[in-house]
Coordinates of all heavy atoms in Angstrom, one line a residue:
I1 N -6.6 -14.7 -10.6 CA -5.6 -13.6 -10.6 C -5.6 -12.9 -12.0 O -5.5 -11.7 -12.0 CB -4.2 -14.2 -10.3 CG1 -4.1 -14.5 -8.8 CG2 -3.1 -13.1 -10.6 CD1 -2.8 -15.1 -8.4
E2 N -5.7 -13.6 -13.0 CA -5.8 -12.9 -14.3 C -7.0 -12.0 -14.4 O -6.9 -10.9 -15.0 CB -5.8 -14.0 -15.5 CG -4.5 -14.7 -15.6 CD -3.3 -13.7 -15.8 OE1 -3.5 -12.8 -16.6 OE2 -2.3 -14.0 -15.2
R3 N -8.1 -12.4 -14.0 CA -9.3 -11.5 -14.0 C -9.0 -10.2 -13.1 O -9.3 -9.1 -13.6 CB -10.5 -12.2 -13.4 CG -11.8 -11.3 -13.4 CD -13.0 -12.1 -13.1 NE -14.2 -11.3 -13.2 CZ -14.9 -10.8 -12.2 NH1 -14.5 -11.0 -11.0 NH2 -15.9 -10.1 -12.4
F4 N -8.4 -10.4 -12.0 CA -8.0 -9.2 -11.1 C -7.0 -8.3 -11.9 O -7.3 -7.1 -12.0 CB -7.4 -9.7 -9.9 CG -6.9 -8.6 -9.0 CD1 -7.8 -7.8 -8.2 CD2 -5.5 -8.2 -8.9 CE1 -7.3 -6.8 -7.4 CE2 -5.1 -7.2 -8.1 CZ -6.0 -6.5 -7.3
R5 N -6.1 -8.9 -12.6 CA -5.2 -8.1 -13.4 C -5.8 -7.3 -14.5 O -5.5 -6.2 -14.8 CB -4.0 -8.9 -13.9 CG -3.1 -9.4 -12.8 CD -1.9 -10.2 -13.3 NE -1.1 -10.6 -12.2 CZ -0.1 -11.5 -12.3 NH1 0.1 -12.1 -13.4 NH2 0.6 -11.8 -11.2
R6 N -6.8 -8.0 -15.2 CA -7.5 -7.3 -16.3 C -8.3 -6.1 -15.7 O -8.4 -5.1 -16.3 CB -8.5 -8.3 -17.0 CG -7.8 -9.2 -18.0 CD -8.8 -9.9 -18.9 NE -9.9 -10.6 -18.1 CZ -9.8 -11.7 -17.7 NH1 -8.8 -12.5 -17.8 NH2 -10.9 -12.3 -17.0
I7 N -8.9 -6.4 -14.6 CA -9.8 -5.3 -14.0 C -8.9 -4.1 -13.6 O -9.3 -3.0 -14.0 CB -10.6 -5.8 -12.8 CG1 -11.7 -6.8 -13.2 CG2 -11.2 -4.7 -11.9 CD1 -12.2 -7.5 -12.1
I8 N -7.8 -4.3 -12.8 CA -7.0 -3.2 -12.5 C -6.2 -2.6 -13.6 O -5.8 -1.5 -13.6 CB -6.0 -3.5 -11.2 CG1 -5.0 -4.5 -11.7 CG2 -6.9 -3.9 -10.0 CD1 -4.0 -4.8 -10.5
G9 N -6.0 -3.4 -14.6 CA -5.3 -2.9 -15.8 C -6.1 -1.9 -16.6 O -5.6 -1.0 -17.2
D10 N -7.4 -2.0 -16.4 CA -8.4 -1.1 -17.2 C -8.8 0.1 -16.3 O -9.4 1.0 -16.9 CB -9.6 -1.9 -17.5 CG -9.4 -3.0 -18.5 OD1 -8.4 -2.9 -19.3 OD2 -10.2 -3.9 -18.6
H11 N -8.5 0.2 -15.1 CA -8.9 1.2 -14.2 C -7.7 1.7 -13.3 O -6.9 1.0 -12.9 CB -10.0 0.7 -13.2 CG -11.2 0.2 -14.0 ND1 -11.3 -1.1 -14.5 CD2 -12.4 0.8 -14.3 CE1 -12.4 -1.2 -15.1 NE2 -13.2 -0.1 -15.0
Q12 N -7.7 3.0 -13.1 CA -6.7 3.6 -12.3 C -7.3 3.7 -10.9 O -8.4 4.2 -10.6 CB -6.4 5.0 -12.8 CG -5.4 5.7 -11.9 CD -4.1 5.1 -11.8 OE1 -3.5 4.5 -12.8 NE2 -3.4 5.2 -10.7
S13 N -6.6 3.1 -9.9 CA -7.1 3.2 -8.6 C -6.7 4.5 -8.0 O -5.6 5.0 -8.2 CB -6.4 2.0 -7.7 OG -6.8 0.8 -8.2
D14 N -7.6 5.0 -7.0 CA -7.2 6.2 -6.3 C -6.3 5.9 -5.1 O -5.5 6.7 -4.8 CB -8.5 6.8 -5.7 CG -9.4 7.4 -6.8 OD1 -8.9 7.9 -7.8 OD2 -10.6 7.4 -6.7
L15 N -6.4 4.7 -4.6 CA -5.7 4.4 -3.4 C -5.8 2.8 -3.2 O -6.9 2.2 -3.3 CB -6.3 5.0 -2.2 CG -5.5 5.0 -0.8 CD1 -4.3 5.8 -0.9 CD2 -6.5 5.5 0.3
V16 N -4.7 2.2 -2.8 CA -4.6 0.8 -2.4 C -4.6 0.8 -0.8 O -3.8 1.6 -0.2 CB -3.4 0.1 -3.0 CG1 -3.3 -1.3 -2.4 CG2 -3.5 0.0 -4.4
V17 N -5.4 0.0 -0.2 CA -5.4 0.0 1.2 C -5.2 -1.5 1.6 O -5.8 -2.4 1.1 CB -6.8 0.3 1.8 CG1 -6.8 0.2 3.4 CG2 -7.1 1.8 1.4
A18 N -4.2 -1.7 2.5 CA -3.8 -3.0 3.0 C -3.8 -3.0 4.6 O -3.2 -2.1 5.1 CB -2.5 -3.5 2.5
M19 N -4.4 -4.1 5.1 CA -4.5 -4.1 6.6 C -3.5 -5.0 7.3 O -3.5 -5.1 8.5 CB -5.9 -4.6 7.0 CG -7.0 -3.6 6.4 SD -7.0 -2.0 7.2 CE -7.6 -2.3 8.8
S20 N -2.6 -5.6 6.5 CA -1.6 -6.5 7.0 C -0.5 -6.7 6.0 O -0.7 -6.5 4.8 CB -2.1 -7.8 7.4 OG -2.5 -8.6 6.3
P21 N 0.7 -7.1 6.5 CA 1.8 -7.4 5.6 C 1.4 -8.5 4.5 O 1.7 -8.5 3.4 CB 3.0 -7.8 6.5 CG 2.7 -7.1 7.7 CD 1.2 -7.1 7.9
V22 N 0.6 -9.5 5.0 CA 0.2 -10.6 4.2 C -0.7 -10.1 3.0 O -0.6 -10.5 1.9 CB -0.4 -11.8 5.0 CG1 -1.1 -12.7 4.0 CG2 0.6 -12.4 5.9
A23 N -1.6 -9.2 3.4 CA -2.6 -8.6 2.5 C -1.8 -7.8 1.4 O -2.1 -7.8 0.3 CB -3.6 -7.7 3.1
A24 N -0.8 -7.1 1.9 CA 0.1 -6.3 1.0 C 0.8 -7.2 0.0 O 0.9 -7.0 -1.2 CB 1.1 -5.5 1.8
E25 N 1.4 -8.3 0.5 CA 2.0 -9.3 -0.4 C 1.1 -9.9 -1.4 O 1.4 -10.1 -2.5 CB 2.7 -10.4 0.5 CG 3.9 -9.9 1.3 CD 4.4 -10.8 2.4 OE1 3.7 -11.9 2.6 OE2 5.3 -10.5 3.1
D26 N -0.1 -10.2 -0.9 CA -1.2 -10.8 -1.8 C -1.6 -9.8 -2.9 O -1.7 -10.2 -4.1 CB -2.4 -11.3 -1.0 CG -2.2 -12.5 -0.2 OD1 -1.1 -13.2 -0.4 OD2 -3.0 -12.8 0.7
Y27 N -1.7 -8.6 -2.5 CA -2.0 -7.6 -3.5 C -0.9 -7.5 -4.6 O -1.2 -7.5 -5.8 CB -2.3 -6.2 -2.9 CG -2.3 -5.1 -3.9 CD1 -3.4 -4.9 -4.7 CD2 -1.2 -4.3 -4.2 CE1 -3.5 -3.9 -5.7 CE2 -1.2 -3.4 -5.2 CZ -2.4 -3.2 -6.0 OH -2.4 -2.2 -6.9
L28 N 0.4 -7.4 -4.1 CA 1.4 -7.2 -5.0 C 1.6 -8.4 -6.0 O 1.8 -8.3 -7.1 CB 2.8 -7.0 -4.2 CG 2.9 -5.7 -3.5 CD1 4.0 -5.7 -2.5 CD2 3.0 -4.6 -4.5
R29 N 1.4 -9.7 -5.4 CA 1.4 -10.8 -6.2 C 0.3 -10.8 -7.3 O 0.5 -11.1 -8.5 CB 1.4 -12.0 -5.3 CG 1.5 -13.4 -6.0 CD 1.5 -14.6 -5.1 NE 0.9 -14.5 -3.8 CZ 1.6 -14.2 -2.7 NH1 2.9 -13.9 -2.7 NH2 0.9 -14.2 -1.6
A30 N -0.9 -10.5 -6.8 CA -2.0 -10.5 -7.8 C -1.9 -9.3 -8.8 O -2.3 -9.6 -10.0 CB -3.4 -10.3 -7.0
A31 N -1.5 -8.2 -8.4 CA -1.4 -7.1 -9.3 C -0.3 -7.2 -10.4 O -0.4 -6.7 -11.4 CB -1.2 -5.8 -8.5
G32 N 0.8 -7.9 -10.0 CA 1.9 -8.1 -10.9 C 2.4 -6.8 -11.4 O 2.7 -5.9 -10.6
E33 N 2.6 -6.7 -12.7 CA 3.2 -5.5 -13.2 C 2.3 -4.2 -13.1 O 2.7 -3.1 -13.3 CB 3.5 -5.6 -14.7 CG 2.3 -5.7 -15.6 CD 1.7 -7.1 -15.8 OE1 2.2 -8.0 -15.1 OE2 0.7 -7.2 -16.5
H34 N 1.0 -4.4 -12.7 CA 0.1 -3.3 -12.5 C 0.3 -2.6 -11.2 O -0.2 -1.5 -10.9 CB -1.3 -3.8 -12.6 CG -1.7 -4.3 -14.0 ND1 -1.8 -3.5 -15.1 CD2 -1.9 -5.6 -14.4 CE1 -2.0 -4.3 -16.1 NE2 -2.2 -5.5 -15.7
A35 N 1.1 -3.2 -10.3 CA 1.5 -2.6 -9.0 C 2.6 -1.7 -9.2 O 3.8 -2.1 -9.2 CB 1.8 -3.7 -8.0
T36 N 2.3 -0.4 -9.5 CA 3.3 0.6 -9.8 C 3.3 1.7 -8.7 O 2.5 1.8 -7.9 CB 3.0 1.3 -11.1 OG1 1.8 2.1 -11.0 CG2 2.9 0.2 -12.2
G37 N 4.4 2.4 -8.7 CA 4.6 3.5 -7.7 C 3.6 4.6 -8.0 O 3.5 5.6 -7.2
S38 N 2.8 4.6 -9.1 CA 1.9 5.7 -9.3 C 0.6 5.6 -8.6 O -0.1 6.5 -8.5 CB 1.6 5.7 -10.9 OG 0.9 4.6 -11.2
V39 N 0.3 4.5 -7.9 CA -0.9 4.3 -7.1 C -0.4 4.4 -5.7 O 0.4 3.7 -5.1 CB -1.5 2.9 -7.3 CG1 -2.7 2.7 -6.4 CG2 -1.8 2.7 -8.8
P40 N -1.1 5.4 -5.0 CA -0.7 5.7 -3.6 C -1.3 4.5 -2.7 O -2.2 3.9 -3.1 CB -1.3 7.0 -3.3 CG -2.4 7.2 -4.2 CD -2.0 6.4 -5.5
V41 N -0.6 4.3 -1.6 CA -0.9 3.2 -0.7 C -1.3 3.8 0.7 O -0.6 4.6 1.2 CB 0.2 2.2 -0.6 CG1 0.0 1.2 0.4 CG2 0.5 1.6 -2.0
A42 N -2.3 3.2 1.3 CA -2.6 3.3 2.7 C -2.3 2.0 3.4 O -2.8 0.9 3.0 CB -4.1 3.7 3.0
A43 N -1.4 2.0 4.4 CA -1.0 0.9 5.1 C -1.4 0.9 6.6 O -1.3 1.9 7.3 CB 0.5 0.7 5.1
Y44 N -2.0 -0.2 7.1 CA -2.5 -0.3 8.4 C -1.4 0.1 9.6 O -1.7 0.7 10.5 CB -3.0 -1.7 8.7 CG -3.6 -1.9 10.1 CD1 -4.8 -1.4 10.5 CD2 -2.9 -2.6 11.0 CE1 -5.4 -1.6 11.7 CE2 -3.4 -2.9 12.3 CZ -4.6 -2.3 12.6 OH -5.1 -2.6 13.9
D45 N -0.2 -0.4 9.3 CA 0.9 -0.2 10.2 C 2.3 -0.1 9.4 O 2.3 -0.3 8.3 CB 0.9 -1.3 11.3 CG 1.0 -2.7 10.7 OD1 1.4 -2.9 9.6 OD2 0.8 -3.7 11.4
N46 N 3.3 0.1 10.3 CA 4.6 0.2 9.7 C 5.1 -1.1 9.0 O 5.7 -1.0 7.9 CB 5.7 0.6 10.7 CG 5.5 2.0 11.1 OD1 5.2 2.9 10.3 ND2 5.6 2.4 12.4
A47 N 4.8 -2.3 9.4 CA 5.2 -3.5 8.8 C 4.6 -3.6 7.4 O 5.2 -4.1 6.5 CB 4.8 -4.7 9.7
T48 N 3.3 -3.3 7.4 CA 2.6 -3.4 6.1 C 3.1 -2.3 5.2 O 3.3 -2.6 3.9 CB 1.0 -3.1 6.4 OG1 0.6 -4.1 7.3 CG2 0.3 -3.2 5.1
A49 N 3.4 -1.1 5.6 CA 3.9 -0.1 4.7 C 5.3 -0.5 4.2 O 5.7 -0.3 3.0 CB 4.1 1.2 5.6
E50 N 6.1 -1.2 5.0 CA 7.4 -1.6 4.6 C 7.3 -2.6 3.4 O 8.2 -2.5 2.5 CB 8.2 -2.3 5.8 CG 9.7 -2.5 5.4 CD 10.4 -1.3 4.9 OE1 10.1 -0.2 5.3 OE2 11.4 -1.5 4.1
V51 N 6.4 -3.5 3.4 CA 6.2 -4.4 2.3 C 6.0 -3.6 1.0 O 6.7 -3.9 0.0 CB 5.0 -5.4 2.5 CG1 4.7 -6.2 1.3 CG2 5.3 -6.2 3.7
F52 N 5.2 -2.6 1.0 CA 4.9 -1.8 -0.2 C 6.2 -1.0 -0.6 O 6.6 -0.9 -1.7 CB 3.8 -0.9 0.0 CG 2.4 -1.5 -0.1 CD1 1.6 -1.6 1.0 CD2 2.0 -2.1 -1.3 CE1 0.4 -2.3 0.9 CE2 0.8 -2.7 -1.3 CZ 0.0 -2.8 -0.2
R53 N 6.9 -0.4 0.4 CA 8.1 0.5 0.2 C 9.2 -0.4 -0.5 O 9.9 0.1 -1.3 CB 8.5 1.1 1.5 CG 7.6 2.2 1.9 CD 8.2 2.9 3.1 NE 7.3 3.9 3.6 CZ 6.7 4.0 4.8 NH1 7.0 3.1 5.7 NH2 5.9 5.0 5.1
Q54 N 9.3 -1.6 -0.1 CA 10.4 -2.5 -0.7 C 10.1 -2.7 -2.1 O 11.0 -3.0 -2.9 CB 10.4 -3.8 0.1 CG 11.0 -3.8 1.4 CD 11.0 -5.1 2.2 OE1 10.5 -6.1 1.7 NE2 11.6 -5.1 3.4
E55 N 8.9 -2.6 -2.5 CA 8.5 -2.8 -4.0 C 8.4 -1.4 -4.7 O 8.0 -1.3 -5.9 CB 7.2 -3.5 -4.2 CG 7.3 -4.9 -3.6 CD 8.4 -5.8 -4.4 OE1 8.4 -5.7 -5.6 OE2 9.1 -6.6 -3.7
G56 N 8.8 -0.3 -4.1 CA 8.8 1.0 -4.6 C 7.5 1.7 -4.8 O 7.4 2.7 -5.5
L57 N 6.5 1.3 -4.0 CA 5.2 2.0 -4.0 C 5.2 3.1 -3.0 O 6.0 3.1 -2.0 CB 4.1 1.0 -3.7 CG 3.5 0.2 -4.9 CD1 4.5 -0.9 -5.3 CD2 2.2 -0.3 -4.6
D58 N 4.4 4.1 -3.3 CA 4.3 5.4 -2.5 C 3.3 5.2 -1.4 O 2.1 5.3 -1.6 CB 4.0 6.5 -3.4 CG 4.0 7.9 -2.7 OD1 4.6 7.9 -1.7 OD2 3.3 8.8 -3.1
V59 N 3.8 5.0 -0.2 CA 2.9 4.9 1.0 C 2.6 6.3 1.5 O 3.6 7.0 1.9 CB 3.6 4.0 2.1 CG1 2.7 3.9 3.3 CG2 4.0 2.6 1.6
V60 N 1.4 6.7 1.4 CA 1.0 8.0 1.8 C 0.2 8.0 3.1 O 0.0 9.1 3.7 CB 0.1 8.7 0.7 CG1 0.9 8.8 -0.6 CG2 -1.2 7.8 0.4
I61 N -0.2 6.9 3.6 CA -0.9 6.8 4.9 C -0.4 5.7 5.7 O -0.4 4.6 5.2 CB -2.5 6.6 4.6 CG1 -3.0 7.9 3.9 CG2 -3.2 6.4 6.0 CD1 -4.5 7.6 3.5
V62 N 0.0 6.0 6.9 CA 0.3 5.0 8.0 C -0.2 5.6 9.2 O 0.5 6.5 9.8 CB 1.8 4.6 8.0 CG1 2.0 3.5 9.1 CG2 2.4 4.2 6.7
P63 N -1.2 5.2 9.8 CA -1.8 5.8 11.0 C -0.7 5.7 12.2 O 0.0 4.7 12.3 CB -3.0 5.0 11.4 CG -3.4 4.4 10.1 CD -2.1 4.2 9.3
S64 N -0.6 6.7 13.0 CA 0.2 6.6 14.1 C -0.2 5.6 15.2 O 0.7 5.0 15.8 CB 0.4 7.9 14.8 OG -0.9 8.4 15.2
T65 N -1.5 5.4 15.2 CA -2.0 4.2 16.1 C -2.7 3.3 15.2 O -3.8 3.7 14.7 CB -2.9 4.8 17.2 OG1 -2.2 5.7 17.9 CG2 -3.5 3.7 18.0
P66 N -2.2 2.1 14.9 CA -3.0 1.2 14.0 C -4.3 0.8 14.6 O -4.4 0.2 15.7 CB -2.0 0.0 14.0 CG -0.7 0.5 14.4 CD -1.0 1.6 15.4
S67 N -5.3 1.1 13.9 CA -6.6 0.6 14.1 C -7.6 0.8 12.9 O -7.2 1.6 12.0 CB -7.3 1.4 15.3 OG -7.6 2.7 14.9
A68 N -8.6 0.1 12.8 CA -9.5 0.2 11.7 C -10.1 1.7 11.6 O -10.1 2.3 10.5 CB -10.7 -0.8 11.8
E69 N -10.4 2.2 12.7 CA -11.0 3.6 12.8 C -9.9 4.6 12.3 O -10.3 5.5 11.6 CB -11.4 3.9 14.3 CG -12.6 3.1 14.7 CD -12.1 1.7 15.3 OE1 -11.0 1.4 15.4 OE2 -13.1 0.9 15.5
S70 N -8.7 4.4 12.7 CA -7.7 5.5 12.3 C -7.4 5.4 10.8 O -7.2 6.4 10.2 CB -6.5 5.4 13.2 OG -5.8 4.1 13.0
I71 N -7.4 4.2 10.2 CA -7.0 4.1 8.8 C -8.2 4.6 8.0 O -8.1 5.3 7.0 CB -6.6 2.8 8.4 CG1 -5.9 2.9 7.0 CG2 -7.7 1.7 8.3 CD1 -5.0 1.7 6.6
V72 N -9.5 4.3 8.4 CA -10.7 4.8 7.8 C -10.7 6.3 7.7 O -10.9 6.9 6.7 CB -11.9 4.2 8.4 CG1 -13.2 4.9 7.8 CG2 -12.1 2.7 8.0
A73 N -10.4 6.9 8.9 CA -10.4 8.4 9.0 C -9.3 9.0 8.1 O -9.6 10.0 7.4 CB -10.2 8.8 10.5
A74 N -8.2 8.3 8.1 CA -7.1 8.9 7.2 C -7.4 8.8 5.7 O -7.1 9.6 5.0 CB -5.8 8.2 7.5
V75 N -8.0 7.7 5.4 CA -8.4 7.4 4.0 C -9.5 8.5 3.6 O -9.4 9.1 2.5 CB -8.9 6.0 3.7 CG1 -9.6 5.9 2.4 CG2 -7.7 5.0 3.8
R76 N -10.4 8.6 4.5 CA -11.5 9.6 4.1 C -10.9 11.0 4.0 O -11.3 11.8 3.2 CB -12.5 9.6 5.3 CG -13.5 8.5 5.2 CD -14.6 8.6 6.3 NE -15.6 7.6 6.1 CZ -16.4 7.2 7.0 NH1 -16.4 7.8 8.3 NH2 -17.3 6.3 6.8
A77 N -10.0 11.4 4.9 CA -9.3 12.7 4.8 C -8.6 12.9 3.5 O -8.7 13.9 2.9 CB -8.4 12.9 6.0
R78 N -7.9 11.8 3.1 CA -7.1 11.9 1.9 C -8.0 12.0 0.7 O -7.8 12.9 -0.3 CB -6.2 10.6 1.8 CG -5.5 10.6 0.4 CD -4.1 10.4 0.4 NE -3.5 10.3 -0.9 CZ -2.6 11.1 -1.3 NH1 -2.0 12.0 -0.5 NH2 -2.1 11.0 -2.5
L79 N -9.0 11.2 0.5 CA -9.9 11.2 -0.6 C -10.8 12.4 -0.6 O -11.1 12.9 -1.7 CB -10.7 9.9 -0.7 CG -9.9 8.6 -0.9 CD1 -10.9 7.4 -1.0 CD2 -9.1 8.7 -2.2
G80 N -11.1 12.9 0.5 CA -11.9 14.1 0.6 C -11.2 15.3 0.2 O -11.7 16.3 -0.3
A81 N -9.8 15.2 0.2 CA -9.0 16.3 -0.3 C -9.1 16.5 -1.9 O -8.8 17.5 -2.5 CB -7.5 16.1 0.1
F82 N -9.4 15.3 -2.5 CA -9.4 15.3 -4.0 C -10.8 15.4 -4.5 O -11.1 15.8 -5.7 CB -8.8 13.9 -4.5 CG -7.5 13.8 -4.1 CD1 -7.0 12.9 -3.1 CD2 -6.5 14.5 -4.8 CE1 -5.6 12.8 -2.8 CE2 -5.1 14.5 -4.5 CZ -4.8 13.6 -3.5
R83 N -11.9 15.0 -3.8 CA -13.3 15.1 -4.2 C -14.2 15.1 -3.0 O -13.8 14.5 -2.0 CB -13.6 14.0 -5.2 CG -13.5 12.6 -4.6 CD -14.0 11.6 -5.5 NE -13.9 10.3 -4.9 CZ -12.9 9.4 -5.2 NH1 -12.1 9.7 -6.2 NH2 -12.8 8.2 -4.6
S84 N -15.3 15.7 -3.2 CA -16.3 15.6 -2.2 C -17.2 14.4 -2.3 O -17.5 14.0 -3.4 CB -17.2 16.9 -2.1 OG -17.9 16.9 -3.3
V85 N -17.6 13.8 -1.2 CA -18.4 12.7 -1.2 C -19.8 13.1 -0.9 O -20.1 13.8 0.1 CB -18.0 11.6 -0.1 CG1 -18.9 10.4 -0.1 CG2 -16.6 11.2 -0.4
S86 N -20.8 12.7 -1.7 CA -22.2 13.1 -1.4 C -23.1 12.0 -1.0 O -22.8 10.9 -1.0 CB -22.8 13.7 -2.7 OG -22.5 13.0 -3.9

């Protein structure tokens, strides 16, 4: 966990993606104080989004139909809005 915190402490994430409430809880526990509202979140479903919202994080993606394909498409669309992928 300490290594993870050092890594994320040195780098700004573009987006945190979690595929389940347990994954969201694990991320929050591992990130500690580095889990701030300044990092946008993509959540697989509403239950996962709620875990992040309870901790004050900004959930910017929750697919209307939870599936791996829909979250990948939503993440690509969001990140593509900020930079092009070559």
